[in-house]
Amino acid sequence: MNLKELYQEIILDHGKNPRNLRKTENFNKDAKGHNPLCGDKVHVYLKLNENKKVEDISFEGQGCAISMASASIMTDLVRGKEEKEVKEIVNDFLEMIKEKNQLNNKILHEDEKTKLMCLSGVKNYPMRVKCATLSWHTLTSAINNSQEEINSETD
Amino acid sequence: MNLKELYQEIILDHGKNPRNLRKTENFNKDAKGHNPLCGDKVHVYLKLNENKKVEDISFEGQGCAISMASASIMTDLVRGKEEKEVKEIVNDFLEMIKEKNQLNNKILHEDEKTKLMCLSGVKNYPMRVKCATLSWHTLTSAINNSQEEINSETD
Amino acid sequence: MNIQNIKKEFPIFKNKVQNNDLVYLDSANSSQKPLVVVDRIYDFYTKEFSNVGRSVHYLAVAATNLYENTRISVQKYINAKEKEEIVFTKGATEAINLVASSFGQKYLKEGDEVLISELEHHSNYVPWHYLRKSKGIKIEFAEINKNGEISLEEVEKKITSKTKIIALTHLSNVTGAILPIKQITEFAHSKGIPVLVDGCQSAPHMKLDMQELGCDFYAISCHKMYGPTGLGILYAKKKWLEELPPYQGGGGMIGEVKKSGITYGDLPNKYEAGTMATAQVIAFNESIKFINEIGIKNIENHEEELIRYGEEVLRKNNSVKLIGSPKKRGAVLSFTIDGIHPHDIATILDEDGVAIRAGHHCCQILHDKLDLTASARASIGVYNTKDDFDKLNSSINKCKKIFNSK
Amino acid sequence: MNIQNIKKEFPIFKNKVQNNDLVYLDSANSSQKPLVVVDRIYDFYTKEFSNVGRSVHYLAVAATNLYENTRISVQKYINAKEKEEIVFTKGATEAINLVASSFGQKYLKEGDEVLISELEHHSNYVPWHYLRKSKGIKIEFAEINKNGEISLEEVEKKITSKTKIIALTHLSNVTGAILPIKQITEFAHSKGIPVLVDGCQSAPHMKLDMQELGCDFYAISCHKMYGPTGLGILYAKKKWLEELPPYQGGGGMIGEVKKSGITYGDLPNKYEAGTMATAQVIAFNESIKFINEIGIKNIENHEEELIRYGEEVLRKNNSVKLIGSPKKRGAVLSFTIDGIHPHDIATILDEDGVAIRAGHHCCQILHDKLDLTASARASIGVYNTKDDFDKLNSSINKCKKIFNSK
Ligand SMILES: Cc1ncc(COP(=O)(O)O)c(C=O)c1O
Ligand SMILES: Cc1ncc(COP(=O)(O)O)c(C=O)c1O
């Protein structure tokens, strides 16, 4: 285990000053996520334009450094992508966190991937994986516009 | 432990051929007893005359050799005694079975006491004490004419 | 593992009980425990103990993983479709109470019928009786045939348009009859009726396959399955666990809690309120490993041969009367002896170290039907041998001698 | 037994956890187990195992006696009037569910009120919520004062003519506040209202005297009290156990069972359906002996000093905010650190072997009230020392360094 890998500068920075922590005006998709065990909560707002491109994305919520950083980085990386691409990024990220050691998608630039890989430190902290994935699951749910609230418990 | 002490001739005899296994006609007191764990059942019938003397006593029921012999011997010894005396005998018996090693009452003759002491072998078989005492508790309940059924579990 | 040497895995047989070798024929009541299971409990408490699920520290994470590993082992062992279909309870009794309570609350109303059988253990009758009292439902009893079995036809006959659930034992703890659960379930489902199976007596002895069996609910008692006391399992098809209301309320089973209302957690958490039997769940994984290492098929063969032998021995003993003669008999042999009450039999046998059970075995309805107040029961586990039945038999002969029975 | 050496009785502290000495500050979640308790489980399973109550053979009789001996020990330990007032459950959660279900069924109807508090653990709220849903009762919340306490006056204020039962924690598992249960009970009884006490957090730490306390129901979690998992205790005044309907139905709790109806067994059997947690009950006797040998008064003194020390240490650490400042604090210290989420704290502490809990501790209502989503909690047992708080403190400083917090 390695705390330094978990709490990298980037994580601490995004955790302390999360980007896109607000509510998108005129959002047309949204979903809530919740981890009943620890009480972490996130609400993701999306504005897709007519071409199904992410015009804006934001989130509200409370949580640990990992979950805030994860949501912050996610919203940064996903803006401007098409719905299909977003789904691919999400899946790639979730697979990386759970099994693989790298990101395979062809959508993100190398520097974006490097940023995202900063979250891979949670792999050594199984109880914290949920913190890192909650906002991502919630994003999926927002895109699918499924009404049910995401419980990170199902991870 | 000693099986011979438990299954003395007298016990086996009374167990096999219980005396007073019938229903007293015109009984004026009765009670039912039951051991929920093993299913043993006994129904004691009493006929007290105007002087509160036991004119007749009988029982119906099913159970092991110990419980049948105990009911059989009990009914034999109690007939003709006064209510007060019956209570004393019952208490003396119950104390003997549970703690003491002898019978102290002045009502029964020595040979009657010897007969009753045959039941003392159950002292070495804690799970069987209930078999020996069920009919006695039921007799008490019949005398007190309390309506509730006796559960040997309360021993 | 060699089935002939299996007894060595059970430390209890190393010591004398009242100067006798223990002849343990009371496994239907509760089985003995192999050393691996006891060791696991010991190690968990002395080296790894923590509560599960709630803390993020190392011990808690490790314990949570161990706990969930058992769930996966159970899932695989009984071939459930998903691990969320495995709910840990304090025993089979609680598992059945859970279903009766939650199903009853949502789906049963006055006049509805629950179909059980005359073979049922009190644990599969009393919970339904509660609904009879609170909701005015009716309980119907499928009746035994002369072999002490419940046939498919009998169940079919007793189903009416009001039957809302069927709850049956898989293997009778008295007659040893194995019920045709698969066929019953198929028929029941064709009528849209769910089936609960009391698997207490089958689980330790038979290969279990929930997807093959098709039933909706299956209750297991871990302490009868070489596992620790205080633990049971409810298998339930996911759709039921999703649809039914939760049972007990408390920590760990909630989603969000507000003064005004509550949402419930995901499966199977929704049904696991409060601190669970952590150490027992973790140790039960060893019970499953133990069974798997021998192979349940090997256990089945061993026990089948054994019970056939026992049946033969007792049949040859005149004045012993076997209760039930099912075509396929599970690990149970109940009997009476003319002129000797089962309690007296058990006491005398005990003096020789032969442990059997005497009583109604929590089956008063069945004993009433058979016009018995009690019976004696010898039941086996993987550690028993033919020798045990020989000893049983010679102790029975001692009983007869004491009672001067022929 | 010397309280300074008590840690040696707990084998878990003999091994390193991830190369660190274990600093276990999560006892409010579950306590570690002294060797005597683990050994008892081991010996019971390996040398004496049998199910209780149901068979008459030697092992069964011995196990039954051991089982009942624990009941008597518990009775004496909490000074209950009679041993029949002690019911074994699978946990405190089940104990409270039992009361809510049985009491609710018999005595509660639409519009009735149940008074609980904002301090309650979900286990003392969700069971009452069920009655809100099924019966339309109302749940009232006594509110905390600024110290995180529930005062007698607040309870008095919230009682109305519709209040039918009061259910309160004895010691808050978050603020550490100890409630004036005796005074509350006296007042409640003067209005004819029974009182249930959630004793999960008090039982391991305080002298208990049911007759002195006067409450009607008291729920205990054995795994928090140096005992095995999967076991709890419900103390209930005999008159309630007599009057209330049984909870779960099954073997062992019945009187007579017929197709047409059922009568129930005597106390406490009526409430102990199915095979109980035999080994756990028997081992719990050792937990009580363990506590008695140290002396609960000595434990109280030791822990009081310790928690005062811990409080001081944390108060001195700027940016640590304690939750609640009750006049008399139990074995719990909850806190937050500005700018660092409790989950992050717990993870960083864990790296040093310091095990605390982070989250809402099953008290969402309270956290909502305090406008927190989560908190960190250090809680102690008899094995803790001042050194543990020093280590906690230096690990907290490490957190602050990582997070650049002042
Ligand atoms: C105050 C309080 N009440 C109730 C409970 C529930 O106890 P258990 O989970 O052992 O059933 C706990 C512990 O989790 C507690 O701290
Ligand atoms: C057929 C059957 N059903 C249910 C039970 C109840 O199981 P438990 O007592 O473990 O809850 C038993 C065992 O006692 C049983 O044999």
Side-chain angles (χ1 to χ4, degrees), chain A residues 7 16 36 38 62-63 65 128, chain D residues 341 343-344 347 351 360 373 403:
Chain A
Y7 293 110
K16 217 176 266 184
C38 62
Q62 284 171 302
R128 307 301 305 277
Chain D
H341 191 278
H343 262 177
D344 296 312
T347 296
E351 209 83 358
H360 52 56
T373 49
F403 274 78

Side-chain angles (χ1 to χ4, degrees), chain C residues 51 90 94 125 229 280, chain D residues 29 90 94 229 258 280:
Chain C
N51 206 339
K90 81 170 175 182
E94 172 164 280
Y125 171 33
T229 57
Q280 292 83 328
Chain D
N29 191 351
K90 81 171 175 181
E94 173 165 279
T229 58
K258 303 260 170 228
Q280 291 83 332

Side-chain angles (χ1 to χ4, degrees), chain D residues 147-160:
Chain D
N147 296 332
E149 299 165 318
I150 301 288
S151 68
L152 172 62
E153 296 67 39
E154 169 66 14
V155 173
E156 288 183 7
K157 226 173 65 190
K158 285 281 157 66
I159 289 178
T160 75

Side-chain angles (χ1 to χ4, degrees), chain C residues 51 54 251 273-276, chain D residues 28-29 90-94 96 119-124 169 171-173 198-201 220-224 231 357 361-363 377:
Chain C
N51 206 339
R54 302 170 175 202
T275 301
M276 299 298 288
Chain D
N29 191 351
K90 81 171 175 181
T93 299
E94 173 165 279
I96 299 170
L119 289 178
E120 298 317 312
H121 188 280
H122 295 158
S123 290
N124 195 21
T169 189
L171 199 168
S172 162
N173 65 323
D198 174 353
C200 277
Q201 295 298 336
I220 293 174
S221 222
C222 297
H223 69 95
K224 296 185 203 277
L231 186 65
R357 187 168 166 195
H361 321 304
C362 299
C363 291
R377 181 184 70 187

Side-chain angles (χ1 to χ4, degrees), chain D residues 25 52 59 105 141 180 194 197 245 275 283 367 381 399:
Chain D
L25 290 168
V52 305
L59 290 173
Q105 196 181 317
F141 291 84
V197 179
T275 301
H367 280 79
C399 288

Side-chain angles (χ1 to χ4, degrees), chain C residues 83-281:
Chain C
K83 69 178 197 302
E84 288 77 19
E85 297 180 325
I86 309 301
V87 176
F88 292 113
T89 63
K90 81 170 175 182
T93 298
E94 172 164 280
I96 299 170
N97 275 272
L98 189 165
V99 177
S101 167
S102 292
F103 186 90
Q105 194 181 320
K106 182 145 180 188
Y107 292 110
L108 297 184
K109 54 176 200 312
E110 194 173 339
D112 283 345
E113 291 173 14
V114 172
L115 177 56
I116 68 173
S117 88
E118 291 177 340
L119 290 178
E120 298 317 313
H121 189 279
H122 295 159
S123 290
N124 195 22
Y125 171 33
V126 187
W128 306 108
H129 167 75
Y130 287 168
L131 293 167
R132 185 161 62 184
K133 286 194 71 174
S134 66
K135 294 215 154 194
I137 66 153
K138 278 174 68 184
I139 299 175
E140 292 296 325
F141 291 85
E143 292 179 36
I144 54 168
N145 63 20
K146 65 178 195 318
N147 296 333
E149 300 165 318
I150 301 288
S151 68
L152 172 61
E153 296 68 39
E154 169 65 14
V155 173
E156 290 182 7
K157 228 173 63 189
K158 286 281 157 67
I159 290 177
T160 75
S161 62
K162 304 220 152 189
T163 310
K164 289 288 150 50
I165 187 166
I166 299 174
L168 295 171
T169 189
H170 200 169
L171 198 168
S172 161
N173 64 324
V174 179
T175 70
I178 296 169
L179 273 63
I181 294 295
K182 186 178 171 186
Q183 291 74 9
I184 290 172
T185 301
E186 272 170 12
F187 184 82
H189 284 180
S190 77
K191 306 269 169 195
I193 307 167
V195 176
L196 173 143
V197 180
D198 174 354
C200 278
Q201 295 299 335
S202 42
H205 305 291
M206 292 164 56
K207 176 152 179 39
L208 295 183
D209 185 331
M210 290 304 121
Q211 296 184 67
E212 153 93 6
L213 211 53
C215 62
D216 300 270
F217 305 99
Y218 201 91
I220 293 174
S221 221
C222 297
H223 69 95
K224 296 184 202 278
M225 206 173 160
Y226 312 114
T229 57
L231 186 65
I233 288 162
L234 172 66
Y235 158 82
K237 278 192 184 153
K238 198 169 176 184
K239 74 156 187 177
W240 289 115
L241 293 179
E242 278 165 353
E243 277 181 24
L244 295 181
Y247 181 53
Q248 294 181 342
M253 56 75 74
I254 50 86
E256 257 194 297
V257 177
K258 303 260 171 232
K259 279 188 182 175
S260 54
I262 292 170
T263 63
Y264 304 117
D266 288 316
L267 300 181
N269 298 13
K270 177 178 163 191
Y271 295 95
E272 293 185 352
T275 301
M276 299 298 288
T278 319
Q280 292 83 328
V281 169

Side-chain angles (χ1 to χ4, degrees), chain C residues 207-351:
Chain C
K207 176 152 179 39
L208 295 183
D209 185 331
M210 290 304 121
Q211 296 184 67
E212 153 93 6
L213 211 53
C215 62
D216 300 270
F217 305 99
Y218 201 91
I220 293 174
S221 221
C222 297
H223 69 95
K224 296 184 202 278
M225 206 173 160
Y226 312 114
T229 57
L231 186 65
I233 288 162
L234 172 66
Y235 158 82
K237 278 192 184 153
K238 198 169 176 184
K239 74 156 187 177
W240 289 115
L241 293 179
E242 278 165 353
E243 277 181 24
L244 295 181
Y247 181 53
Q248 294 181 342
M253 56 75 74
I254 50 86
E256 257 194 297
V257 177
K258 303 260 171 232
K259 279 188 182 175
S260 54
I262 292 170
T263 63
Y264 304 117
D266 288 316
L267 300 181
N269 298 13
K270 177 178 163 191
Y271 295 95
E272 293 185 352
T275 301
M276 299 298 288
T278 319
Q280 292 83 328
V281 169
I282 289 171
F284 189 60
N285 212 351
E286 299 302 318
S287 309
I288 293 180
K289 275 191 214 156
F290 172 81
I291 294 174
N292 279 335
E293 266 172 44
I294 308 174
I296 184 69
K297 274 290 159 202
N298 292 329
I299 296 179
E300 279 189 52
N301 293 339
H302 169 71
E303 292 183 347
E304 218 176 285
E305 191 184 329
L306 205 56
I307 209 77
R308 214 179 301 123
Y309 180 79
E311 196 168 340
E312 229 168 75
V313 167
L314 292 187
R315 275 202 202 287
K316 276 188 202 148
N317 193 325
N318 48 5
S319 74
V320 170
K321 275 194 195 146
L322 289 176
I323 297 177
S325 52
K327 266 160 231 118
K328 202 170 177 313
R329 179 190 287 281
V332 170
L333 277 169
S334 300
F335 60 93
T336 55
I337 304 180
D338 279 343
I340 315 182
H341 190 278
H343 262 177
D344 295 313
I345 302 173
T347 297
I348 296 168
L349 263 53
D350 184 40
E351 208 84 358

